[in-house]
Amino acid sequence: FSAKYMQNAGDGPEVMLIGLLIAMLVGLLFGLVNGILIGVLGMQSFVVTMGVRLAARGIAMVVSAGAAVAGCPAELIMFSFQNLFGIPMVFVVGVILLILMAIVTKQSKWGRSLILLGSNRNSAEFCRINTRLVETAAYVLSGVLSGVAGFVSISVLGCALPGIGDNNLLLIIGGVVLG
């Protein structure tokens, strides 16, 4: 959706900002669907996330007509080539988000609740943590960050490709299973 908007809207920083907000909003919506199905309704996370991923890929194929969506603002493409003290800006964005998330998980009540929930759901419930809300919020945040990652991907590639991450799926599953 973000790339399609930017393709039709032209150039300019406001187009990039709106494109980023669209990417984050779409990620938020998919994260909310995952969060409600898993955190509130108690469905199996693996099945839900795989199903929602397939639905998202299908929607992306329909929106893009199965082809790459090119024609993004030149400023966005140039962003991926910029450096800050010799460090690529794409890497800087990743490090900033990593630090921000580390602070959120270590310093906030929600972050500590999330860590406890991930360690031991029964203990989290015993401590009167609203596990449904914490888990749903985690999926929503994950969706928003996925939107940011997709936007950065558009910056690096110069276009949006539906199904770009399909080749990494087995590696991701293996990493999750092995821990």
Side-chain angles (χ1 to χ4, degrees):
F1 291 106
S2 177
K4 204 67 165 162
Y5 163 77
M6 291 187 295
Q7 180 186 44
N8 297 323
D11 286 334
E14 67 281 349
V15 172
M16 291 189 326
L17 179 62
I18 293 171
L20 175 61
L21 292 175
I22 291 170
M24 293 170 67
L25 180 63
V26 170
L28 182 142
L29 292 175
F30 280 108
L32 184 62
V33 168
N34 279 333
I36 290 171
L37 292 175
I38 297 165
V40 177
L41 299 179
M43 296 175 72
Q44 289 295 318
S45 60
F46 184 80
V47 174
V48 170
T49 54
M50 291 296 285
V52 170
R53 184 195 73 81
L54 287 172
R57 188 176 188 281
I59 292 168
M61 284 292 194
V62 169
V63 168
S64 69
V69 179
C72 297
E75 295 95 343
L76 179 61
I77 296 169
M78 291 307 299
F79 173 79
S80 67
F81 291 105
Q82 292 178 353
N83 292 317
L84 180 67
F85 306 115
I87 302 170
M89 285 303 290
V90 173
F91 183 77
V92 171
V93 168
V95 169
I96 289 171
L97 289 174
L98 176 71
I99 292 169
L100 181 64
M101 293 313 304
I103 291 169
V104 167
T105 55
K106 297 291 183 186
Q107 302 297 323
S108 71
K109 180 180 177 185
W110 176 80
R112 291 189 304 276
S113 298
L114 180 64
I115 291 170
L116 180 59
L117 174 63
S119 314
N120 189 330
R121 177 178 287 277
N122 291 337
S123 294
E125 290 170 351
F126 183 74
C127 292
R128 297 216 175 268
I129 291 173
N130 185 345
T131 56
R132 290 180 176 186
L133 180 63
V134 170
E135 190 169 22
T136 301
Y139 280 102
V140 168
L141 180 60
S142 177
V144 170
L145 292 175
S146 295
V148 172
F151 188 79
V152 170
S153 173
I154 293 170
S155 168
V156 171
L157 298 173
C159 64
L161 299 166
I164 182 95
D166 288 350
N167 293 338
N168 296 327
L169 187 58
L170 185 60
L171 293 172
I172 293 167
I173 293 171
V176 170
V177 169
L178 295 176

